[in-house]
Amino acid sequence: MSKHRIEQLVQSYLEPIMEKYNFELVDLEYVKEGTNWYLRAFIDKEGGVTIDDCELVSRTLEAKLDEEDPIENPYILEVSSPGLDRPLKKDSDFERFKGEIVDIKLYKPFNKKKEYRGELVGLKDNIVTIIDEDNNTLSFSRNDIAIIRLAILF
């Protein structure tokens, strides 16, 4: 089974768990790092997630995965918070975090730079708009963005 298909299948297992416990599935990845495969679920909820929340989702998902056994390779299951620098993946993330400072990394340079920081204006028609530190309005096609995360400010 393909990596993408495994992620879709596991997401279908996670959706009722997320709904039951009022969690949000921020991201899900099935990746190989070195010789090990990892199945990672990043969850969130209003007020943030606790270790107990992660354990609850992990145990519930693990039981479903053991029952269905859809993944051929041995893997390590990890359930965690997306962290302070959470990636913005879903359209709703761009609405939710309007006005927040974000870091953008591009696949290829724009104006000789691949990294930008600014206040998120929003997402419209697959275009992400920010206002940078010099008060310039910048727009990027979502397809040109490798990752966009909430900035950690010190």
Side-chain angles (χ1 to χ4, degrees):
M1 190 180 309
S2 75
K3 174 183 162 325
H4 181 69
R5 179 68 185 120
I6 288 171
E7 289 173 344
Q8 286 180 322
L9 191 60
V10 173
Q11 183 170 341
S12 74
Y13 298 161
L14 275 167
E15 286 169 353
I17 299 168
M18 298 293 100
E19 192 173 312
K20 179 177 181 180
Y21 296 109
N22 253 355
F23 296 134
E24 172 194 2
L25 180 61
V26 174
D27 199 8
L28 177 69
E29 61 183 19
Y30 180 61
V31 294
K32 188 171 187 180
E33 294 178 2
T35 59
N36 295 320
W37 282 93
Y38 291 87
L39 178 59
R40 294 188 179 116
F42 298 93
I43 63 169
D44 205 2
K45 72 174 183 183
E46 189 69 35
V49 295
T50 65
I51 290 173
D52 291 339
D53 295 331
C54 293
E55 182 181 358
L56 173 66
V57 172
S58 179
R59 287 179 190 265
T60 308
L61 177 58
E62 186 175 40
K64 181 68 173 174
L65 289 168
D66 286 347
E67 176 187 323
E68 299 293 331
D69 198 22
I71 303 173
E72 295 172 14
N73 300 319
Y75 61 91
I76 298 165
L77 175 62
E78 297 177 352
V79 177
S80 67
S81 157
L84 295 175
D85 62 341
R86 75 178 275 164
L88 297 140
K89 298 265 187 169
K90 298 179 262 183
D91 289 357
S92 60
D93 292 339
F94 291 88
E95 186 63 33
R96 177 178 175 188
F97 294 108
K98 258 186 197 176
E100 298 290 333
I101 303 300
V102 295
D103 289 325
I104 295 176
K105 290 186 182 177
L106 303 173
Y107 288 113
K108 57 186 179 202
F110 171 74
N111 290 338
K112 300 182 182 176
K113 289 175 50 181
K114 287 178 78 173
E115 297 184 14
Y116 289 86
R117 174 175 277 184
E119 179 184 330
L120 179 63
V121 174
L123 171 72
K124 184 174 182 180
D125 298 327
N126 234 19
I127 302 293
V128 176
T129 304
I130 63 169
I131 299 173
D132 73 6
E133 294 150 333
D134 297 323
N135 214 30
N136 298 312
T137 300
L138 303 171
S139 296
F140 306 95
S141 169
R142 202 167 177 183
N143 295 332
D144 294 336
I145 297 173
I147 192 156
I148 180 167
R149 296 181 172 276
L150 292 178
I152 297 177
L153 305 173
F154 296 98

